[in-house]
Amino acid sequence: MSWTEPVPIGDVKRIGAGFGGTINDVLLLTLTDAVRRFLDANGQAVTAPDIRVVMPVNIRPMERRTEDLGNGFGHVFIELPIGEDDPAERLAILQRRIEVLKKSPEAYVTFGVLTAMGASPAAAQTQLMRLFYNKATAITTNVPGPVEPVRIGGRSITRITFWVPQSADLGLGFSIFSYRGEVQVGITGDANLLPDPDLFASCFQDAFAQLLSNS
């Protein structure tokens, strides 16, 4: 378990402006590059063309968020092109895949599937969750937090981070959270897959610095 140093949202937007991408696009690209750097740092060749991650996606309109409690999100699966050596082509592939997802009903379909799971017997839920989440290697989230400082007991909280829950046999989790104009990533992983989460955090920061220097 580890976390990155926070980076300014302004820098994320600056990178995105360079290739017409959103904040989420930039962070997914950074994550892709970080996986490549981590494997290289551990002397492991990139043998797979992609790593598939599952992402929760909010499907509840803003105007309905205060009407009731509970989650209103589906999930989408996206392959990060870690096997592509050319950074420009890696970016192009990722952008094409993100664009397809934006037009897809996948998030709504998975929301229906998860709702059905909740109404199933406990034993069936376990099997269904394994079937659903074992289609990915990792889970990643992008949660927008408060823009203004949060105060507790009269004192301002300087940083907030979290670690995404990992269901079934998902071995890796990347939790992207923004707070007070900065973005920070929480990293968790099975020790067999991620023996040095601090190293991965460094790889993420190096990948982001490289993108920023090229923007």
Side-chain angles (χ1 to χ4, degrees):
M1 171 178 301
S2 186
W3 56 89
T4 66
E5 291 296 319
V7 296
I9 286 283
D11 286 349
V12 181
K13 291 180 177 179
R14 176 180 160 188
I15 296 170
F19 61 84
T22 66
I23 290 176
N24 194 57
D25 296 346
V26 172
L27 295 172
L28 284 178
L29 177 60
T30 308
L31 184 59
T32 303
D33 292 354
V35 172
R36 288 178 55 85
R37 288 172 179 265
F38 181 79
L39 291 173
D40 182 65
N42 280 280
Q44 300 179 40
V46 180
T47 57
D50 305 299
I51 177 175
R52 177 180 286 181
V53 300
V54 58
M55 296 189 300
V57 176
N58 176 60
I59 60 174
R60 178 181 293 169
M62 288 292 293
E63 61 272 13
R64 291 182 50 200
R65 291 188 183 181
T66 58
E67 291 182 4
D68 52 43
L69 299 176
N71 294 319
F73 61 85
H75 292 73
V76 296
F77 293 89
I78 184 169
E79 288 78 26
L80 305 182
I82 62 170
E84 176 55 55
D85 293 328
D86 182 5
E89 183 59 23
R90 202 155 58 234
L91 168 60
I93 293 171
L94 187 58
Q95 282 187 297
R96 288 196 296 268
R97 292 175 179 176
I98 291 172
E99 193 59 31
V100 169
L101 280 178
K102 288 177 180 178
K103 300 175 181 178
S104 167
E106 185 175 330
Y108 294 90
V109 172
T110 57
F111 177 73
V113 171
L114 292 171
T115 301
M117 284 183 187
S120 303
Q125 286 183 29
T126 300
Q127 294 303 316
L128 288 170
M129 289 291 282
R130 288 185 178 276
L131 178 65
F132 186 81
Y133 284 108
N134 284 354
K135 294 182 179 295
T137 300
I139 181 169
T140 182
T141 64
N142 186 359
V143 179
V147 177
E148 299 297 328
V150 174
R151 300 178 68 85
I152 295 181
R155 299 179 66 88
S156 293
I157 297 176
T158 57
R159 294 182 185 176
I160 301 176
T161 191
F162 75 104
W163 290 272
V164 61
Q166 293 163 232
S167 301
D169 295 325
L170 280 174
L172 299 172
F174 305 107
S175 314
I176 302 169
F177 189 78
S178 62
Y179 175 59
R180 294 203 316 172
E182 295 181 321
V183 179
Q184 194 165 17
V185 181
I187 301 157
T188 55
D190 185 294
N192 293 312
L193 294 174
L194 195 68
D196 190 347
D198 288 338
L199 174 60
F200 191 93
S202 295
C203 289
F204 187 95
Q205 290 164 190
D206 290 344
F208 184 86
Q210 183 66 52
L211 289 171
L212 185 61
S213 69
N214 292 338
S215 63

